Amino acid sequence: MLNIVIFGAPGSGKGTQSEKIVEKYGINHISTGDVLRAEIKNNTELGKTAKSYIDQGQLIPDSLMIDILASVLDSFKDSKGVIFDGFPRTIAQAEALKKMLSERGQEVKVMLDLEVPEDELMTRLIKRGKESGRADDNEETIKKRLVVYHSQTAPLIDWYKKEGVYAHINGLGNLETITADICKAIDAAK
Ligand code: AMP
């Protein structure tokens, strides 16, 4: 089972690179942000709850997020592995993921940390907001999301280093070069 965590600040290119990895390795993709946005679009109770956090640039509470992840994971049959995009975002989520996978006799093989300088993240997200109309891609909310990233999510870098599966990826530059660097890290971890 090829389980991969793709990690990085908002705007670091996790979604774009996940598509390439799914194509090449034939694994499933879970983007927790996409799952939540689909719930919001369908106006479900979960969507209403999620929207109140997302619009504030805050994280959805861990217990709720972990339940959502478990049910998506259970929906995959005959999976070759999963790329986790936007999850985990806290230490509690990383611990829950480790437990969930170990109960299935699996583990995270590699954590890909896409590093992009902060001014480039801002530029990319503001551009994406204009193009896609994503409500949380406005300057004020982006700033809040970056604060949340540094305080709650970035500690996962050390957590995964201790797990021995950390791989640093330079997320700035040519898309194909970044994809090639990612594939090298995955192939070394397989
Ligand atoms: P993303 O599309 O991954 O940037 O996620 C958009 C928003 O969804 C985030 O700013 C959070 O409010 C929420 N979200 C997505 N994934 C998670 C997660 N693993 N834990 C908590 N909140 C999340």
Side-chain angles (χ1 to χ4, degrees), residues 7-129:
F7 184 86
S12 57
K14 299 188 293 291
T16 307
Q17 292 298 336
S18 291
E19 283 174 24
K20 308 275 177 202
I21 298 169
V22 165
E23 229 172 79
K24 176 157 184 194
Y25 295 93
I27 56 179
N28 293 104
H29 178 208
I30 301 182
S31 156
T32 43
D34 284 352
V35 171
L36 297 171
R37 281 184 288 277
E39 295 286 336
I40 293 172
K41 202 165 163 221
N42 294 328
N43 210 17
T44 64
E45 280 309 309
L46 172 59
K48 287 179 202 157
T49 307
K51 187 171 165 34
S52 63
Y53 291 97
I54 293 177
D55 286 353
Q56 294 303 313
Q58 299 298 321
L59 297 183
I60 275 72
D62 284 334
S63 56
L64 186 56
M65 215 54 243
I66 291 163
D67 286 349
I68 296 170
L69 190 93
S71 69
V72 180
L73 205 54
D74 283 335
S75 71
F76 295 147
K77 302 273 176 267
D78 302 323
S79 176
K80 283 197 216 166
V82 177
I83 180 153
F84 297 92
D85 163 6
F87 187 102
R89 261 181 158 95
T90 63
I91 303 270
Q93 291 181 14
E95 281 167 352
L97 178 62
K98 186 176 179 180
K99 185 161 174 271
M100 247 183 267
L101 291 176
S102 83
E103 283 164 1
R104 292 165 172 80
Q106 298 176 40
E107 61 193 352
V108 168
K109 287 271 160 64
V110 63
M111 185 265 216
L112 305 162
D113 176 21
L114 278 175
E115 198 189 9
V116 174
E118 199 110 345
D119 54 344
E120 169 72 10
L121 294 172
M122 278 305 281
T123 310
R124 286 187 191 178
L125 290 169
I126 288 169
K127 183 165 177 270
R128 186 172 77 183

